[in-house]
Amino acid sequence: MTTLVTRPEAVVEPPEEAHGPSGLVKWITSTDHKVIGRSYTITAFLFFLVAGSMAIIIRTQLASPDNTIVSQHVYNELFTMHGSVMLYLFAGPFAFGGLANFIVPLQIGAPDMAFPRLNALSYWLYLSGGIIMLLGFVTTSGAADFGWVAYAPLSNSINTPGAGPDMWIVALVLTGFSAIFTGVNICATVFYLRAPGLTMFRMSIFTWNMLVTAILILIAFPVLTAALVMLWCDRHIGSHIFTVAGGGVPVLWQNLFWFFGHPEVYILALPYFGAVTDVLAVFSRKPVFGYKGMIFATIAIAALSTSVWAHHMFTTGTVLLPFFSIMSYLIAVPTGIKFFNWIGTMWRGSITFNTPMLFAVGFLVVFLFGGVTGIFLASPPVDFAMHDTYFVVAHFHEVLFGTVVFGGFSALTYWYPKYTGRMLNDFLGKISFWLMFIGFWVTFVPQYLLGEAGMPRRIAEYLPNMGWTTLNRVSTAGAYMLFLSVAVMLVNFVEAWRRPIPAGDNPWDAHTLEWATSSPPPHHNFYWIPPIRSERPVWDHYHPEHPVEREHPPRTGGDEVAAARSTARPDSRAQFGSAATARGSVNPEGPSHEPRAAGDPGDDHEGQS
Amino acid sequence: MPPRRRAHAKAFGRRGPILVLVGLALAAGGCTYPTFGASHGADVQGQEIGKLYSGMFMAGLVVAAIVWGLIAWSVFRYRRKKHDNSIPRQFQEHIPLEITYTILPLVIVIIIFAFTVITENEVDAVSKRPAQTVDVTGYQWGWIFSYQNANGLTLRTQGAVRSFPAAKGYTADVYPQLVLPEGRPTKIVLRSADVVHEFYVHAFNFGRFAQPGVTNVFEFTPVQTGVFPAQCSEYCGLYHSEMLFSVRVVAYPRYESWLRYQEHHLNQIPKHYPLTQR
């Protein structure tokens, strides 16, 4: 650990840009976390489009009773693959593969992930796993059709024979290992590669949440992998772990699966919680309210999430209901803390509504309702009434779509300038947001009502006299709106690619270290790192006269502020003032690796270790 | 924090749990309560669940409305005015407030949990002397209902899925039907012959897994006669969508005569008839 004294100012010429390979060769051979992060993001987004298209077919099939757009078999494949692709190939990898890979090293001032080659391996395992899963569609048996949860004994070789389900298992093992490696990598990176001065309680909430997510991955994914190996053995070498006939216990699968499956829900949610927290703070021009409370809430959610898995099994009649019920209820407490902290962050702020902020506020609004209905389902008697109906479908889509898509789009539009050096079109972004926000309610509120009216999930058709037709039609119309919203977002990406609007280093007047370097960052990320005296080093640098007000100032007695003040240069503040208000303003000095203080990244890390 | 805001926070702290309690009390006391589209329950157990659901829904709406209100307030009140480039106060913590909104949700969930446990015990109770015991077996893709009559014979009814050619063109009456007496507790013994199914009766607000290797026992006490549509709700393979059945509730005397009638007209099965797989 180096000392907290300001580094002496020295001029460092930025070296020539990396003259490594480019194009396809770069993509395949790179171990740079930014290249891998970008590959992850693009790949995951493509899987999102694939799985979203499946959802559109599913909704079209359900728009009319006794519909025959697809056969029952194809329908079963579609909802299985929709769930599997969304959860295993999009939601998780988009967060811990894409965002975390790209952003976490930048936020902690590191030149790369701790294990760059392991990182590349993760990506290639993930990509091959994803392709293998989708290739199931071209086998003679069709893709896996036992639901994304693959309950035994439906998933054995008698009930679902064929290569498609086997490929599903292999794909999950591969992507599971990819996730585990990424988890190891994120933990090691956060623990060992933080820049000098960046203590644990000066990390951004996003990095904190990614760390907790990575730990959850290490808890949850090995269990899934083990369960999948058992399933494979049942299918191919005649073990009877999950079949009654051979003395096995089918319900064991549900326990193992949900021991992975429930932490998985938080593996998907926490990264987006973190991203949204950062976005809310930046666009309110305020620090995160209740910063430490936020971190403890994240840790509490992660801890509780490992002891609530059986709330998916209330109707099995094999679990202790009150225990899993109260544990599930308790998750509402840290989640509530987060909500009030999010509101506190906006409270008395000075809020601008650029696209990332809109998606972040949209996330708050929709996730709240998904969370409240989650409380209902944590009550076993209510779960008896609602389990496996569309109420549950609406609930988990509201929480997952709320976090992964609203939170994900917030994160994507927020960090897009850092990824590419270009701004997205704010107007198109807002159109996309409003289509999605309205489409979201139109899609999922009818599904709550359908669940209350008793429509079970995963049915390919229903009788016309059940009274479910109108609600299904409305829900389908909402799904088309969501599709349109994503299409507008795609147009926005294409626009940004065809007519680039250069983004400065720090277009949002943001707080964290990734905005101290150029957009996109140079090969080893930083030529210069501002002094780190709080969780907002970049803000402190640009606004030294507006540090965080603390009710209990740290024991160092305020010289941190003085230090920040002394290092900040007036000219940089002036330059910043224009960049803050005018979206997409260009840094007049070009990509600013204007040297302010000494230090090349390698140097920093030697100091750490 | 200025006094006005502190008062506001306090008022919220006082009001929150009271509103929740009012919601739950309304639900527990009133005979007509809103279920927001869900079933009120055609049996005693389902009615209990309906009340709990209604109470939770109202409490949930109140909490959601408060939080939505706070979000809306901060979004509309604190949006940056044009040409205003000032920087707001950089406050980050307010420990008493933070403790308040940690304890508040805790109190709410403990109250809800108490109501949950009470209802759960009522719903899961099984009486010692049920009027009738019905063995229900789910299989791909239909249901077998077996009744024990006074003579020790097992009466079995069974139905097929719609896609079977013989069933094409028919509506609800080709599906298997479970017949229950009104006003008397009937014990259901639920099993599965192959994969996981869910015995789900919407009118009774109740679903329970039929699983290989597990026998689930529960009870219905219907309070309303009629025919209620029902179906398997846990995905169980190709024809899951068509694994329908219905529940017919009749007055007890009619039920008894129906059972006697079945003795002569339905397939009777000796007591230890092995269940066919599929």
Side-chain angles (χ1 to χ4, degrees), chain B residues 84-135:
Chain B
D84 173 16
N85 209 16
S86 66
I87 288 173
R89 264 186 56 204
Q90 301 292 302
F91 63 91
Q92 183 175 44
E93 54 191 6
H94 189 281
I95 304 295
L97 183 67
E98 288 174 56
I99 290 173
T100 310
Y101 63 59
T102 307
I103 293 174
L104 208 65
L106 199 61
V107 171
I108 295 175
V109 298
I110 286 171
I111 294 171
I112 294 178
F113 179 65
F115 280 96
T116 288
V117 170
I118 293 167
T119 309
E120 183 183 296
N121 290 339
E122 285 170 8
V123 171
D124 272 350
V126 179
S127 44
K128 284 208 180 98
R129 282 169 202 276
Q132 177 72 52
T133 300
V134 185
D135 284 312

Side-chain angles (χ1 to χ4, degrees), chain A residues 415-452:
Chain A
W415 279 307
Y416 192 86
K418 194 48 70 180
Y419 267 74
T420 61
R422 295 162 181 195
M423 299 301 293
L424 285 171
N425 183 321
D426 212 39
F427 179 70
L428 283 177
K430 282 174 181 168
I431 290 182
S432 168
F433 168 77
W434 285 110
L435 276 173
M436 185 176 284
F437 189 73
I438 297 166
F440 180 88
W441 293 107
V442 177
T443 310
F444 295 113
V445 167
Q447 293 190 8
Y448 278 119
L449 298 173
L450 281 169
E452 290 179 323

Side-chain angles (χ1 to χ4, degrees), chain A residues 66 72-73 76 79 145-146 151-154 159 244 250-251 254 285-291 315-317 321-322 326 329 333 337 340-341 346-353 365 368-369 372 375-376 379-382 384-389 391 452-454 456-461 463 468 535-536 539 543 546-551 581, chain B residues 2 5 12 35-39 49 52-53 56-57 60 64 67-68 70-71 73-75 78-80 85-94 98 101-102 105-106 109 112-113 116 119-120 123-124 140 162 194-196 198 200 202 205-209 211-214 216 229 231-242 244 278:
Chain A
D66 282 337
Q72 301 204 14
H73 180 63
N76 296 343
F79 74 69
D145 60 347
F146 36 51
Y151 274 8
L154 182 63
N159 291 304
V244 178
V251 83
Q254 291 183 40
R285 291 190 131 185
K286 272 184 59 207
V288 174
F289 186 77
Y291 170 78
T315 57
T316 60
L321 301 178
I326 187 71
Y329 280 141
V333 177
I337 295 173
F340 289 117
N341 282 343
M346 293 191 290
W347 202 265
R348 303 200 153 187
S350 173
I351 307 175
T352 39
F353 289 94
V365 174
L368 178 70
F369 200 64
V372 166
I375 302 272
F376 304 170
S379 165
V382 173
F384 295 163
M386 298 298 174
H387 187 259
D388 273 335
T389 68
F391 192 87
E452 290 179 323
R457 61 194 285 203
R458 294 173 173 172
I459 53 171
E461 52 184 48
L463 290 174
W468 299 335
E535 76 272 15
R536 302 191 300 167
W539 173 274
H543 304 278
H546 294 287
V548 171
E549 288 175 23
R550 294 187 201 280
E551 293 194 354
T581 42
Chain B
R5 283 206 40 223
F12 171 70
T35 53
F36 309 93
S39 165
I49 293 175
L52 179 71
Y53 177 72
M56 286 182 74
F57 201 110
V67 181
W68 273 330
L70 290 170
I71 293 171
W73 169 262
S74 30
V75 165
Y78 302 117
R79 53 190 312 144
R80 194 183 304 171
N85 209 16
S86 66
I87 288 173
R89 264 186 56 204
Q90 301 292 302
F91 63 91
Q92 183 175 44
E93 54 191 6
H94 189 281
E98 288 174 56
Y101 63 59
T102 307
L106 199 61
V109 298
I112 294 178
F113 179 65
T116 288
T119 309
E120 183 183 296
V123 171
D124 272 350
Q140 282 175 321
R162 266 197 299 164
D194 36 47
V195 302
V196 181
E198 183 168 350
Y200 172 61
H202 172 242
N205 273 337
F206 195 83
R208 186 56 60 91
F209 275 10
Q211 297 160 104
V214 178
N216 273 319
Q231 74 187 92
C232 171
S233 69
E234 176 61 42
Y235 174 67
C236 56
L238 185 57
Y239 292 119
H240 164 62
S241 324
E242 308 190 17
L244 313 184
R278 263 302 153 95

Side-chain angles (χ1 to χ4, degrees), chain A residues 264-275:
Chain A
E264 163 76 353
V265 175
Y266 291 97
I267 290 169
L268 305 182
L270 290 178
Y272 301 101
F273 287 0

Side-chain angles (χ1 to χ4, degrees), chain A residues 416-418 420-428 492-504 507 519 582-587:
Chain A
Y416 192 86
K418 194 48 70 180
T420 61
R422 295 162 181 195
M423 299 301 293
L424 285 171
N425 183 321
D426 212 39
F427 179 70
L428 283 177
N492 204 345
F493 293 149
V494 174
E495 270 298 292
W497 172 64
R498 284 183 51 205
R499 276 190 278 278
I501 311 163
S519 309
R583 179 193 52 72
S585 68
V586 193
N587 188 334

Side-chain angles (χ1 to χ4, degrees), chain A residues 171-252:
Chain A
L172 282 205
V173 171
L174 291 178
T175 52
F177 273 117
S178 141
I180 292 168
F181 295 157
T182 306
V184 169
N185 221 335
I186 293 172
C187 283
T189 308
V190 170
F191 285 138
Y192 288 104
L193 295 190
R194 276 172 290 127
L198 191 68
T199 60
M200 290 298 272
F201 278 121
R202 286 177 186 171
M203 295 195 314
S204 82
I205 296 288
F206 177 74
T207 300
W208 254 109
N209 282 23
M210 279 320 312
L211 174 64
V212 175
T213 304
I215 293 168
L216 266 186
I217 288 174
L218 298 183
I219 293 170
F221 269 91
V223 178
L224 174 70
T225 310
L228 288 167
V229 171
M230 293 181 206
L231 184 60
W232 177 272
C233 291
D234 265 16
R235 288 174 68 92
H236 291 283
I237 61 174
S239 65
H240 289 283
I241 301 166
F242 302 123
T243 44
V244 178
V249 185
V251 83
L252 175 65

